[in-house]
Amino acid sequence: MVLRVLVTAGASGIGRAIAARFRSDGALVSVADADEAAVGAARAEDPGLEAVVADVADEPSVQAWVRDVIGRWGGVDVLVNNAGIAGPTAFAEDVSLEDWRRCLAVGLDSHFLAAKAVIPTMKAQGSGSIILISSTAGQVGYGMRTPYASAKWAVNGLGKSLAVELGPHGVRVNVVAPGTVRGPRMDGVIDREAQAAFGGAEVADGEEAQRRQRARQDPALVVGRTRHAQELQRAQERLQALRVGQRLEAHLDVEAPHGRGVERL
């Protein structure tokens, strides 16, 4: 059976790595991403990959994308909800409502909208898998990143609630919670947090200052361990292989701090 897979924000980073893995296994894969340049690069790298430019926080755009793909493929087996943005780095009182809403629109609304679009088809099929990419930031308090952490906490709740609703229909829902993932986006986050923490003051060792600041927020960095996007493929592969039960089968923490009592992949 050839899997039919949809990935939001799938033209770069974690989403691109997940899409590439499914493609290497022979799956039909369609990604939607707001970054036109990244979409073009993904198409050039893999001409067999379907990639469209779309704002996945916009319901008409999501519905049009999903409707077109399902119309041509005759169904959908896997949805990977991967979209999210870092949001502002600031104390809560300094975060604008506009920035708050945009962070939650991309990081939470997009997950709801894509799931909403595929659910009727998956229910009719009596099968399907919805994977939500959350974060370990959705399990702890995260100072100066309130919109981002709030979105991730909400994604966890969305996943659990969808699992309850869809389990009786044979549709599985799972959440993957990555820790710190290496890449340009995380580099920018670290820079902004270090600047905010030290008030723009010059420090003797910039890299060490940034690492200390990140360690305060993400204990995974205390041991100097970050994840590559490609390593998260193992998480989604595990979720695809799971067949026990019909509800939320796993909330997988990728590189969770030692001793937290969760499964480490």
Side-chain angles (χ1 to χ4, degrees):
M1 173 184 173
V2 176
L3 286 178
R4 299 160 294 184
V5 182
L6 303 179
V7 184
T8 65
S12 63
I14 295 172
R16 181 73 188 97
I18 291 172
R21 179 61 187 182
F22 275 114
R23 285 282 299 140
S24 71
D25 288 339
L28 294 172
V29 180
S30 179
V31 305
D33 200 296
D35 187 333
E36 186 173 356
V39 167
R43 287 173 179 162
E45 182 181 339
D46 179 4
L49 175 72
E50 290 196 10
V52 302
V53 178
D55 179 0
V56 292
D58 176 69
E59 184 168 18
S61 297
V62 173
Q63 289 285 345
W65 170 51
V66 173
R67 185 170 53 248
D68 173 67
V69 174
I70 290 178
R72 289 183 290 103
W73 290 354
V76 59
D77 300 302
V78 182
L79 166 66
V80 181
N81 272 322
N82 172 65
I85 58 175
T89 300
F91 291 111
E93 65 268 29
D94 297 322
V95 174
S96 71
L97 182 59
E98 179 182 4
D99 286 345
W100 167 272
R101 286 176 171 168
R102 184 58 184 168
C103 187
L104 267 71
V106 178
L108 174 61
D109 293 356
S110 69
H111 291 238
F112 165 72
L113 292 173
K116 178 182 177 181
V118 303
I119 283 171
T121 298
M122 288 186 173
K123 279 186 173 181
Q125 295 171 169
S127 65
S129 172
I130 298 175
I131 299 171
L132 290 75
I133 306 299
S134 180
S135 168
T136 53
Q139 300 168 8
V140 296
Y142 200 169
M144 302 190 75
R145 298 291 304 285
T146 302
Y148 179 78
S150 298
K152 298 307 182 182
W153 276 91
V155 165
N156 297 342
L158 174 64
K160 291 177 182 293
S161 300
L162 288 177
V164 172
E165 292 185 11
L166 299 178
H169 300 277
V171 178
R172 296 173 293 118
V173 183
N174 295 281
V175 178
V176 176
T180 301
V181 179
R182 296 176 186 175
R185 173 177 162 180
M186 183 51 62
D187 290 343
V189 169
I190 291 173
D191 287 342
R192 290 191 296 273
E193 290 186 358
Q195 286 295 317
F198 294 99
E202 184 177 352
V203 293
D205 186 338
E207 287 190 10
E208 179 59 23
Q210 292 178 16
R211 185 176 180 277
R212 289 200 307 269
Q213 170 62 9
R214 283 297 298 151
R216 292 175 57 237
Q217 306 287 7
D218 186 347
L221 282 188
V222 173
V223 293
R225 184 69 171 96
T226 57
R227 284 289 185 186
H228 291 287
Q230 289 76 7
E231 294 180 80
L232 300 181
Q233 296 164 1
R234 293 182 61 193
Q236 61 87 18
E237 288 169 4
R238 288 287 301 279
L239 295 178
Q240 281 304 107
L242 288 171
R243 291 293 183 272
V244 179
Q246 290 185 310
R247 290 188 179 181
L248 184 69
E249 294 158 341
H251 181 119
L252 300 183
D253 288 4
V254 181
E255 194 55 47
H258 289 288
R260 183 168 287 179
V262 298
E263 181 173 8
R264 293 172 59 83
L265 302 178

